[in-house]
Amino acid sequence: MIRTNSELLSYVSQIQRLGKWGIVEEEFGPKNKIIEQDQRYSQVHLIKEGIAKCYISDDNGREFIQEFLGAGMEFGELEVFTGRLSICAVESITHLTVFSFSYADFRALVKTDARFNHLVMKALADKIRYKAPRHSYQHSHPIEDNVLRLQELFPDFTRVISKKDIANYIGITVRSLNRALKQLEGAGRLK
C-alpha cells in the first residue's frame, strides 16, 4: 500500500552527502500540496521520511489516488523525461522530508552515474509493474477483501490515512468504506 524504495533512498543519501549535485533537503507539514496536477515544475523529489499521496483529480474534483509514497519514492521524474505538465498532484499526509533535485541535476545524474540511472529506471519499471495488478485486484474483489488486504499490507492504515483517502485509493465512496469497516469489525476480522 505504501510504496518504498530503500535502495534508491540509500544511494541518493550517499550522493547528497558528497554535496556535488545540489541536492537539498526540504520539509513539508501534513496536507501540504507539493505538486499540483497539470502544472510545470523544475524539481524532482525523493522522500526521505514520511508519507505522501499521489493522485489525479477528475473533472468533477474527485480524487483517484494512484499510490501512497513512502521513503525512497520519487515524484516529478516523469516530467523530466516527457517535458510535459505534471500528470498527478502530490500531497503530504504526514510530516515529509524530501531530497529535491533540479531537473538539470537529475538529468546530469541519469546521464553520468550508471548506478543512479539503473535505480531510476528500476523505480519507473516498478511503478508501472505495481499499478496493473493493484487495479485488477480492486476491481475484481469485494470492498471487504480490499480493506483486509490494506490491513495486511499496512496494519495502521486507518490510524495514519484518512477514510476519504482510503476510499479514493480503493475507488469507492466513504459511505461504502464505512459500511465495509463496520461489517468487518462486527465479524471480528478487522484489527
Side-chain angles (χ1 to χ4, degrees), residues 24-172:
V24 297
E25 266 189 48
E26 291 186 80
E27 296 196 19
F28 300 93
K31 298 187 185 291
N32 212 318
K33 232 180 218 183
I34 302 159
I35 291 181
E36 301 256 359
Q37 184 176 322
D38 297 324
Q39 299 296 314
R40 190 163 307 282
Y41 291 93
S42 60
Q43 286 189 314
V44 175
H45 305 280
L46 181 112
I47 298 174
K48 181 178 179 185
E49 295 175 345
I51 300 170
K53 63 179 179 177
C54 175
Y55 62 94
I56 294 175
S57 295
D58 66 15
D59 296 339
N60 298 323
R62 182 174 159 93
E63 294 177 4
F64 178 73
I65 296 179
Q66 295 288 312
E67 56 191 345
F68 292 105
L69 307 172
M73 294 302 291
E74 74 284 1
F75 55 93
E77 80 286 2
L78 293 179
E79 294 74 16
V80 170
F81 297 115
T82 66
R84 296 186 175 169
L85 300 177
S86 57
I87 191 169
C88 295
V90 176
E91 182 179 318
S92 56
I93 291 176
T94 65
H95 180 85
L96 205 63
T97 304
V98 299
F99 290 122
S100 297
F101 307 65
S102 71
Y103 278 11
D105 285 338
F106 186 84
R107 279 189 201 104
L109 270 165
V110 166
K111 286 181 181 178
T112 61
D113 187 321
R115 178 87 176 125
F116 182 76
N117 184 309
H118 171 77
L119 291 172
V120 168
M121 293 302 117
K122 184 175 180 273
L124 288 170
D126 285 345
K127 279 186 176 184
I128 294 167
R129 186 173 173 259
Y130 168 78
K131 283 192 180 26
R134 178 178 81 82
H135 292 230
S136 174
Y137 186 91
Q138 285 176 302
H139 290 291
S140 61
H141 289 81
I143 296 169
E144 293 79 11
D145 287 353
N146 280 288
V147 170
L148 291 172
R149 188 172 191 213
L150 292 178
Q151 178 182 263
E152 182 182 315
L153 296 171
F154 184 54
D156 290 334
F157 77 103
T158 56
R159 287 187 276 291
V160 176
I161 299 171
S162 73
K163 285 184 179 180
K164 180 180 180 225
D165 284 346
I166 294 167
N168 288 341
Y169 180 73
I170 297 174
I172 60 173

